[in-house]
Amino acid sequence: MHPLLEKAQQLKQQLNFNWSLIFGVSFFLVVVIGLIQITTGVSDWLVENKDAQIKHLTVQGQPKYTDETAIIKAIKKADLSSFFELDVKHVQQLVQDLPWVATASVRKQWPDTIQVYVVEHEVVAHWNSDLLLNQSGQAFQASSDKLDDDLPQLYGPEGSEEEAWVAFKQFDEMLKVNGLTLTSLALSERFSWQLWLDNGIRLNLGRKDKAKRVQRFIDVYPRMEQRADAQVDTIDLRYDTGLAVSFKPVQEEQLQNKSKA
C-alpha cells in the first residue's frame, strides 16, 4: 500500500476512536449531572416538606368494644408533627395497649394521613372472675357493658388458660350433642377438674381420663332415678367404674311446680 494511503487510513482510525471516546465520556457526564440534579431536587423537596403534619386519621376494621375516640386519643399520644419522622411502630404499640385491641397495623398515606386497622379480642369466656379469655385461650383484662350475659365461667391456676379453654370446648361439644349445656369449668392447683351444667349439676372428674368420665356421665344420666323430693347436686366420677351421686333437697316452690306439672 502506498505510504500516503496507509497514513491516511491510520489517521481515520484514530479520529473514529477519538469520537467514540468523546461520545462515551459525554454520555457518562450527562448521566452523572442528571443524577446530581435529581438528588438535589429530592433533597430540596424533602427539606421543604419536612414539617408536613399528620392531619387525618382513618380507623379501619370493625371494633365492637373499643370506641373510635379512644383509638384516636391513643394515637395522638405520638408525635404527629412530621409525616416523615412519624414512628409507625410506636403508634401501633399505643393502639395495641388499649384493653380490647388484639392486633393493630398502621401505615402512612401521603401527604397527611395515617390509616390504622384494628382487630379486637374475640371474647369467649370469663377467667377467674376478673379476666377474660379470647378465642386462642389467652387471658386479657377488659370490661364492657356489651358482653354477653351467658359467657361461660372458667377458673384455674395461672398458665392453664389455654388448656382450660380447649377442655371446655371438648366437654361442651360432648354434652351439647346429648342435650346438656356446660356453663362453668374449674381446674384446681392439683389439676383436678370440675364441671357445672346449666341444670345445677356439678361433675367431679378428678385428674385423669376426663373425656371418658364425661362420656360415662352422658351414658348413665338418662337412666338415673329421679327423686321427687330431691335433685341431683354432685356426681363424682373419680372411679375406674361407676359413679357416686349426691342429692340436695328440692325447695318447696320447686315441689309445688312439680306437682302442678
Side-chain angles (χ1 to χ4, degrees):
M1 180 181 294
H2 194 278
L4 291 175
L5 292 175
E6 185 177 354
K7 188 173 182 179
Q9 188 174 3
Q10 290 176 353
L11 181 61
K12 184 179 179 180
Q13 291 175 349
Q14 291 176 357
L15 288 173
N16 288 336
F17 172 76
N18 290 337
W19 277 112
S20 299
L21 179 62
I22 291 171
F23 177 77
V25 172
S26 299
F27 179 76
F28 174 75
L29 290 174
V30 169
V31 171
V32 171
I33 293 171
L35 289 174
I36 292 174
Q37 290 179 336
I38 292 173
T39 303
T40 303
V42 171
S43 178
D44 293 341
W45 182 83
L46 288 174
V47 171
E48 292 175 1
N49 293 275
K50 67 182 180 64
D51 295 326
Q53 296 183 351
I54 300 296
K55 297 179 180 179
H56 302 285
L57 304 176
T58 302
V59 178
Q60 300 175 329
Q62 296 179 327
K64 176 181 177 182
Y65 303 101
T66 308
D67 191 87
E68 186 171 320
T69 56
I71 298 173
I72 294 174
K73 184 177 179 180
I75 294 172
K76 287 185 175 180
K77 293 179 182 178
D79 183 3
L80 306 179
S81 61
S82 173
F83 179 87
F84 294 103
E85 296 180 3
L86 176 67
D87 187 343
V88 173
K89 290 186 177 180
H90 179 52
V91 174
Q92 180 182 11
Q93 189 59 55
L94 287 171
V95 177
Q96 289 184 173
D97 286 342
L98 293 171
W100 279 100
V101 177
T103 61
S105 59
V106 180
R107 72 184 186 93
K108 296 186 284 189
Q109 182 176 348
W110 177 255
D112 56 5
T113 301
I114 56 174
Q115 295 180 340
V116 182
Y117 189 86
V118 174
V119 177
E120 289 187 313
H121 292 287
E122 182 182 336
V123 62
V124 294
H126 293 281
W127 177 251
N128 288 340
S129 299
D130 58 346
L131 297 175
L132 297 169
L133 284 185
N134 65 17
Q135 71 276 20
S136 300
Q138 298 173 330
F140 65 101
Q141 190 163 27
S143 61
S144 175
D145 55 4
K146 298 179 182 178
L147 285 173
D148 294 335
D149 294 333
D150 58 352
L151 280 176
Q153 300 278 349
L154 275 62
Y155 303 87
E158 184 178 355
S160 64
E161 295 90 345
E162 185 176 356
E163 182 180 3
W165 174 238
V166 170
F168 181 91
K169 288 190 294 182
Q170 178 188 9
F171 301 150
D172 184 50
E173 187 63 32
M174 294 173 65
L175 293 162
K176 190 176 296 182
V177 170
N178 293 274
L180 300 166
T181 301
L182 179 60
T183 61
S184 185
L185 173 150
L187 178 60
S188 73
E189 293 288 344
R190 299 183 62 187
F191 288 88
S192 180
W193 298 80
Q194 294 185 77
L195 311 181
W196 284 263
L197 309 185
D198 64 339
N199 57 9
I201 295 177
R202 176 166 59 95
L203 305 181
N204 194 344
L205 304 180
R207 300 174 59 183
K208 60 182 182 179
D209 298 329
K210 303 180 296 294
K212 289 182 179 180
R213 291 173 178 179
V214 171
Q215 187 60 54
R216 186 193 309 163
F217 161 75
I218 292 172
D219 295 338
V220 172
Y221 183 66
R223 302 194 300 271
M224 289 179 60
E225 183 180 354
Q226 301 296 320
R227 292 173 50 180
D229 62 335
Q231 63 185 33
V232 177
D233 181 27
T234 304
I235 299 179
D236 192 342
L237 295 148
R238 295 175 298 175
Y239 302 93
D240 294 333
T241 59
L243 48 83
V245 181
S246 298
F247 290 87
K248 60 183 176 181
V250 175
Q251 300 295 326
E252 184 176 348
E253 183 179 347
Q254 293 175 301
L255 283 173
Q256 291 176 356
N257 291 335
K258 283 186 177 183
S259 63
K260 291 179 181 178

